[in-house]
Amino acid sequence: MAYIQPNEPTKALTISSFLKMHSAGEKITCLTAYDASFATLFDQIGVDVVLVGDSLGNVIQGHSSTLPVLIEDMVYHTLCVGRNLKRSYLIADMPFASYGNSDSALRNAALLMQAGAKMVKIEGGSWLVPTIEHLVKQGIPVCAHLGLTPQSVNTLGGFKVQGKSQGQAQQMLLDAKHLEQAGAQMLVLEAIPSSLGKSITNHIQIPTIGIGAGPDCSGQVLVMHDALGAFPGRQPKFVKNFLALGGSIEKAIELYISEVKSGAFPAPEHCFSD
Ligand code: KIV
């Protein structure tokens, strides 16, 4: 059964919808999408947030990292994804090195907003405070991203779980508070111990969206190819193939939504311990 009933009027979700869901304890569902067909399907089935992730560098372009993705690529896919959305909220990733200073961040974020994004996502800690303040002042909502930040794979030394030591965990919590104070309105947490995902979620007011960050985040996100078992090769621990269980793409997405909303996903086997 679809989460959104066929004749239910569809009202576009806004950032206020997510704050309400977060305070009411209703989990937020998010999937990546890169084209109009999947995005429209996710919208109709009831996925709350559609993210045009720079993971398109991996799953669409075949690169081994997100570093080669250009702002032009993100604009093109954001236009495709946004064209027919009615209810889902559209977030677009700012790609590698496109927000190194406030001026370039504003120029590139504006291109994504003009392509249909309602919010842009940027990866990094407290050093982003001036950039976030600048974007928010110009009317551009920002989602921050902490933990395993794939654009920093070369400084992190690989795709590794982050925040495992007490020092790292304390720094990440401090970063989260600074990003919220700067004006970020959502926070993605990737590949961190569940205890840290819970602690960050409890210490800030804005919704957290986890991917390998435990069951206590305000919502969950997966790369659509991972949720549909469509990406060859080794899968991270936090991935679950909903197509194998659902049997069709529609059923797989319905199952993803119902498991996130009920808290059944992520289960302990998808989570990292301290
Ligand atoms: O690029 C992406 O798809 C992402 C999600 C994995 C959060 O940033």
Side-chain angles (χ1 to χ4, degrees), residues 32 34 51 53-55 93 121 123 145 188 190 211 221 223:
T32 67
Y34 315 97
L51 169 68
D54 63 349
S55 50
D93 264 341
K121 179 164 80 59
E123 299 181 4
H145 183 156
V188 166
E190 179 164 353
I211 174 163
V221 55
V223 169

Side-chain angles (χ1 to χ4, degrees), residues 57-58 62-68 153 159:
N58 305 98
H63 297 297
S64 59
S65 82
T66 57
L67 273 61
V153 60
F159 296 100

Side-chain angles (χ1 to χ4, degrees), residues 28-264:
I28 300 162
T29 56
C30 177
L31 280 175
T32 67
Y34 315 97
D35 65 37
S37 302
F38 278 106
T40 306
L41 188 69
F42 297 169
D43 182 50
Q44 287 172 353
I45 297 177
V47 174
D48 299 320
V49 180
V50 174
L51 169 68
V52 185
D54 63 349
S55 50
L56 69 84
N58 305 98
V59 297
I60 303 291
Q61 298 176 335
H63 297 297
S64 59
S65 82
T66 57
L67 273 61
V69 177
L70 304 174
I71 187 68
E72 289 81 2
D73 301 327
M74 294 308 302
V75 168
Y76 172 75
H77 287 278
T78 301
L79 278 167
C80 297
V81 166
R83 201 154 276 142
N84 294 316
L85 292 188
K86 298 213 167 6
R87 175 183 174 274
S88 305
Y89 189 77
L90 175 53
I91 304 181
D93 264 341
M94 297 198 63
F96 176 67
S98 69
Y99 48 97
N101 60 53
S102 295
D103 288 341
S104 64
L106 177 58
R107 195 169 54 250
N108 290 316
L111 293 174
L112 294 173
M113 298 298 285
Q114 287 166 340
K118 297 283 185 294
M119 177 180 265
V120 298
K121 179 164 80 59
I122 53 181
E123 299 181 4
S126 302
W127 65 273
L128 287 173
V129 163
T131 305
I132 295 175
E133 286 171 347
H134 192 56
L135 292 179
V136 171
K137 266 188 220 143
Q138 302 287 335
I140 300 178
V142 175
C143 174
H145 183 156
L146 288 172
L148 171 51
T149 45
Q151 291 173 12
S152 303
V153 60
N154 292 309
T155 45
L156 296 176
F159 296 100
K160 297 176 184 161
V161 180
Q162 301 296 307
K164 289 193 88 162
S165 74
Q166 213 187 354
Q168 282 180 348
Q170 277 168 356
Q171 181 59 54
M172 209 181 295
L173 179 56
L174 204 59
D175 281 338
K177 289 179 179 171
H178 289 160
L179 297 168
E180 177 182 41
Q181 278 159 15
Q185 288 177 291
M186 212 180 264
L187 174 63
V188 166
L189 295 171
E190 179 164 353
I192 60 172
S194 299
S195 57
L196 182 56
K198 180 176 183 175
S199 166
I200 293 176
T201 304
N202 288 342
H203 280 90
I204 59 176
Q205 309 304 315
I206 58 174
T208 57
I209 308 295
I211 174 163
D216 297 300
C217 296
S218 327
Q220 299 292 327
V221 55
L222 278 180
V223 169
M224 59 160 279
H225 292 66
D226 291 342
L228 297 176
F231 190 66
R234 199 169 155 264
Q235 298 297 321
K237 190 176 184 193
F238 50 74
V239 165
K240 178 166 174 175
N241 180 345
F242 288 89
L243 183 61
L245 296 164
S248 71
I249 291 173
E250 285 83 354
K251 290 268 177 295
I253 303 308
E254 286 168 18
L255 196 59
Y256 172 69
I257 293 173
S258 72
E259 288 203 5
V260 171
K261 294 278 180 192
S262 72

